[in-house]
């Protein structure tokens, strides 16, 4: 069918020129209609197709011949949400035009989502009514936005999953830290016995024991020290993970601290002929940071450098200042580290497998650590506002390419006191350090120490250490402890927080609140070393905290210092 069979020449057109121009215009119009990106279909009032444009043939993939005379309905998909042909027809009769969304069905059963504009016109030639349907194919937009919607739904699902996982991870992490706190207590309690008894034997029974047995006891003592270190490392890692690592900042001479740490390792370095070459320029400024934690950084880096280097090699330690930052480098001539391990070695519990298999001329590398050292070092450095990274030429068979550990830290790290309790704890320790000497008080009668502790072995070991200088009272639970405190008014109470029944914190608060007992200093004597536990001890009214396992001589020394302080500041509290 030709386009002009449905057109109407404008009225008043006369003369051949005019007619020619008009027919040219109409031909142009016909071309536009044919090739517009819109699908145009004209039907009889009953829906039989009288005209389709070229775009309709392309979109629906049917030829004009195929479509002419067939009902338009055949090319519409009738599903819920889209109107039927009858519905469209009815609505067209209601007004000037009608707009809706429709689904057109192509030859290959392909569905096209279209926006339809439909209206009725009258053919001026035969005065018959015709229906004009103009479709705009919006399949791509609709599918795009459907996909976007799907993606959004997927994202929402992933998001809620992440939130669920995150909550679960937090719960697991809390469980883990509770577990670590309990485990550290449970490990430290038997460790107290092992360490305490073996200390006593090593200190006082050498002559009475068979040398072989004595050596075995020494080995037990060393094993207890190692285990103690591992427990403390695990606790440090938890503190770092939970952002609870507290620092006590002071001005530090970093080169001197580094030299002290090297000195500690001299036994191993000399044995393996490994030299430490220190490159510290004179007049370096002091570093404002936590001394003990920085010592831990040096100790870990230096012992790793030793551990993974061959005999007769050199370790270069350099400290310099650039742009208000300390740059510390530790360079070894050891086995090296692969590039893809650079980040992983700073993860807790991560060890590179090959390190364990390495050995040197004199001794096997002590590769089997716990994989905690570098994660603690990183935590400490970052807590000081610094960074740590490693460089190495990688690992090569039978070669020692070496590694360089780099640290940068601000000269004046911005470290605040974390809370008043911690400050009080440090100040108390400072008092001890700078305060009176541990000279024995001139006393007529021995001071009385009351242990309130269910851990019989710890009490027995402590008593063995203290019995010459003090009278010892022991209560195995809080209620008895309270009774003995009232009856005997001891000079000092050593109190465990973990007690059956009335726990240590509540007991301490009661002692503080009573007229008869409020002047007795209470020192917590516990294996728990989590910061919140220590804070709870101070919050309940304790003056100090002694960590199990303890060293006998240190315990004695500390108790004397506390008693001396009590003498100065009584009435206590
Ligand atoms: P560990 O206490 O087991 O030594 P670290 O966290 O200190 O654990 O180190 C993690 C791992 O990084 C080590 O097991 C070792 O594989 C690797 N590593 C650390 N320092 C060095 C070094 N100087 N040279 C080569 N490998 C190293």
């Amino acid at each position: 069918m030709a386009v002009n069979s449905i057109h109407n020449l404008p009225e008043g057109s006369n003369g051949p020129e005019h007619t020619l121009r008009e027919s040219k215009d109409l031909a142009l119009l016909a071309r536009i209609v044919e090739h517009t990106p819109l699908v145009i279909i004209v039907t009889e009032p009953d829906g039989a197709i009288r005209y389709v444009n070229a775009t309709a043939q392309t979109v629906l993939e049917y030829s004009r011949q195929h479509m002419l005379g067939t009902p338009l309905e055949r090319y519409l998909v009738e599903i819920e949400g889209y109107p039927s042909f009858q519905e469209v027809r009815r609505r067209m009769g209601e007004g000037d035009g009608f707009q809706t969304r429709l689904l057109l069905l192509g030859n290959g059963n392909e569905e096209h989502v279209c926006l339809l504009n439909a209206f009725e016109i009258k053919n001026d030639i035969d005065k018959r009514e015709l229906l004009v349907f103009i479709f705009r194919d919006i399949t791509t937009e609709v599918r795009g936005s459907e996909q976007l919607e799907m993606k959004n739904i997927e994202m929402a699902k992933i998001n809620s999953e992440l939130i669920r996982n995150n909550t679960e991870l937090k719960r697991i992490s809390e469980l883990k830290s509770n577990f670590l706190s309990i485990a550290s207590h449970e490990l430290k309690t038997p460790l107290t016995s092992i360490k305490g008894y073996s200390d006593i034997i090593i200190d006082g029974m050498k002559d009475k024991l068979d040398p072989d047995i004595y050596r075995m006891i020494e080995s037990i003592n060393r094993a207890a020290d190692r285990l103690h270190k591992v427990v403390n490392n695990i606790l440090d890692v938890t503190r770092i993970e939970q952002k609870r690592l507290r620092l006590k900042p002071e001005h530090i001479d970093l080169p001197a601290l580094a030299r002290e740490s090297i000195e500690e390792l001299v036994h191993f370095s000399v044995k393996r002929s490994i030299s430490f070459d220190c490159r510290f320029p004179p007049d370096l400024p002091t570093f404002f940071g936590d001394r003990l934690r920085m010592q831990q950084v040096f100790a870990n880096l230096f012992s790793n450098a030793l551990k993974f280097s061959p005999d007769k090699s050199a370790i270069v330690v350099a400290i310099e200042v650039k742009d208000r930052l300390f740059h510390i480098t530790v360079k070894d001539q050891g086995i090296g580290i692969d590039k893809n391990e650079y980040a992983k070695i700073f993860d807790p519990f991560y060890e590179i497998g090959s390190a364990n298999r390495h050995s040197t001329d004199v001794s096997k590398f002590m590769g089997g650590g716990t994989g905690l050292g570098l994660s603690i070092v990183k935590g400490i450095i970052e807590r000081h506002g610094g960074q740590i990274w490693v460089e190495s030429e990688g690992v090569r068979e039978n070669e020692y390419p070496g590694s360089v550990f780099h640290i940068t830290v601000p000269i004046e790290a911005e470290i605040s006191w974390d809370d008043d309790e911690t400050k009080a704890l440090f100040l108390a320790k400072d008092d001890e350090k700078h305060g009176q000497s541990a000279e024995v008080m001139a006393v007529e009668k021995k001071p009385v120490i009351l242990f309130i502790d269910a851990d019989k072995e710890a009490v027995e070991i402590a008593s063995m250490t203290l019995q010459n200088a003090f009278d010892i009272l022991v209560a195995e639970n809080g209620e008895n402890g309270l009774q003995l405190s009232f009856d005997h008014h001891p000079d000092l109470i050593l109190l465990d927080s973990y007690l059956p029944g009335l726990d240590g914190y509540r007991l301490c608060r009661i002692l503080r609140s009573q007229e008869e007992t409020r002047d007795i200093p209470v020192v917590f004597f516990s294996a728990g070393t989590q910061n919140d536990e220590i804070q709870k001890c101070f919050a309940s009214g304790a003056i100090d905290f002694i960590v199990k396992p303890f060293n006998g001589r240190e315990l004695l020394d500390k108790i004397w210092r506390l008693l001396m302080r009590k003498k100065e500041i009584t009435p206590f509290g």
Side-chain angles (χ1 to χ4, degrees), residues 37 70 122 201 209 323 367 369 425 439 451 468 541 543 558 565:
T70 57
K122 209 165 242 158
I201 296 171
L209 285 179
D323 309 324
L425 168 67
E439 67 188 271
F451 278 95
N468 289 335
I543 59 157
K558 186 157 203 166
R565 243 173 78 194

Side-chain angles (χ1 to χ4, degrees), residues 304-305 307-308 332 335-337 345 350-352 355 369-374 403 405:
N304 274 350
K307 206 154 77 170
F308 299 110
D332 64 46
I335 56 173
I337 297 170
I345 56 170
Y350 189 82
E351 291 185 282
I352 305 170
T370 50
L372 293 174
L374 285 179
S403 314
F405 281 84

Side-chain angles (χ1 to χ4, degrees), residues 160-207:
S160 69
E161 194 128 308
L162 277 176
I163 291 171
R164 245 200 329 276
N165 286 348
N166 204 15
T167 320
E168 181 62 7
L169 276 177
K170 270 193 193 144
R171 197 183 65 80
I172 292 172
S173 162
E174 267 166 33
L175 272 180
K176 187 188 78 180
S177 74
N178 287 347
F179 164 76
L180 285 174
S181 159
I182 294 165
S184 74
H185 185 259
E186 293 302 321
L187 277 172
K188 281 190 169 187
T189 306
L191 255 180
T192 310
S193 314
I194 300 168
K195 177 80 181 124
Y197 283 128
S198 54
D199 268 350
I200 289 169
I201 296 171
I202 289 170
D203 281 356
M205 300 189 184
K206 186 167 185 180
D207 305 337

Side-chain angles (χ1 to χ4, degrees), residues 91-105:
R91 301 280 298 275
M92 283 168 79
E94 285 172 5
D96 297 341
F98 172 57
Q99 242 194 15
T100 188
R101 198 181 259 220
L102 265 183
L103 270 186
L104 275 182
L105 187 66

Side-chain angles (χ1 to χ4, degrees), residues 219-486:
S219 158
I220 291 172
N221 194 276
R222 278 196 300 276
D225 281 340
R226 275 203 302 278
L227 188 52
H228 190 199
K229 242 186 231 165
V230 171
V231 171
N232 282 341
N233 275 346
I234 293 175
L235 286 171
D236 275 349
V237 166
T238 1
R239 285 186 192 114
I240 288 164
E241 280 180 352
Q242 298 178 339
K243 308 211 177 322
R244 291 190 300 106
L245 188 74
R246 309 229 186 253
L247 299 183
K248 183 203 172 190
E250 60 184 296
H251 287 279
I252 307 169
D253 179 350
L254 273 186
L257 198 68
R259 284 206 171 89
E260 273 172 36
S261 301
I262 291 168
E263 203 54 37
E264 298 264 310
L265 294 167
V266 79
H267 170 76
F268 302 101
S269 53
V270 166
K271 188 168 157 200
R272 296 188 39 215
S273 312
I274 296 178
S275 64
F276 273 93
D277 175 5
C278 294
R279 301 194 180 159
F280 309 145
D283 307 326
L284 278 176
T286 55
F287 169 66
F288 188 66
D290 186 307
R291 171 183 294 277
L292 287 179
R293 291 299 182 185
M294 287 309 287
Q295 211 163 32
Q296 216 175 337
V297 167
F298 284 137
N300 268 306
L301 291 182
F302 297 164
S303 65
N304 274 350
L306 264 181
K307 206 154 77 170
F308 299 110
S309 290
D311 295 350
K312 303 188 187 75
S313 62
I315 296 165
V316 181
V317 183
I319 303 180
E320 55 180 350
V321 169
K322 254 192 252 159
D323 309 324
R324 303 291 300 156
L325 290 175
F326 271 106
H327 287 240
I328 305 168
T329 48
V330 181
K331 183 175 190 299
D332 64 46
Q333 297 173 326
I335 56 173
I337 297 170
D338 234 30
K339 219 182 187 126
N340 59 12
E341 306 278 8
Y342 281 4
K344 293 188 225 157
I345 56 170
F346 295 102
D347 287 342
F349 300 105
Y350 189 82
E351 291 185 282
I352 305 170
S354 61
N356 282 340
R357 295 197 298 271
H358 217 84
S359 67
T360 72
D361 304 343
V362 170
S363 57
K364 252 186 175 276
F365 281 6
M366 295 159 2
T370 50
L372 293 174
L374 285 179
S375 72
I376 295 172
V377 168
K378 184 168 187 268
I380 294 173
I381 292 301
E382 287 179 348
R383 183 72 179 77
H384 281 87
Q387 290 180 326
I388 177 164
W389 69 97
V390 66
E391 281 172 359
S392 167
E393 280 174 31
V395 177
R396 292 193 296 265
E397 191 75 18
N398 299 324
E399 279 186 51
Y400 295 102
S403 314
V404 191
F405 281 84
H406 296 264
I407 287 177
T408 55
V409 266
I411 294 180
E412 288 266 330
E414 277 216 3
I415 304 162
S416 56
W417 292 105
D418 292 286
D419 49 68
D420 288 346
E421 273 88 3
T422 320
K423 190 172 178 178
L425 168 67
F426 289 132
L427 291 178
K429 284 193 170 155
D430 266 2
D431 273 2
E432 276 170 38
K433 223 182 290 163
H434 307 302
Q436 318 83 353
S437 72
E439 67 188 271
V440 177
M441 282 189 293
V443 281
E444 284 154 16
K445 95 181 189 11
K446 286 186 194 170
V448 179
I449 306 263
L450 168 60
F451 278 95
I452 310 177
D453 193 334
D455 179 359
K456 283 187 195 150
E457 284 177 345
V459 173
E460 192 181 328
I461 293 164
S463 306
M464 283 166 86
T465 313
L466 304 176
Q467 65 193 2
N468 289 335
F470 304 99
D471 281 334
I472 310 284
L473 293 171
V474 180
E476 284 177 17
N477 59 48
E479 288 78 6
N480 285 348
L482 192 60
Q483 190 60 50
L484 289 178
S485 308
F486 277 100

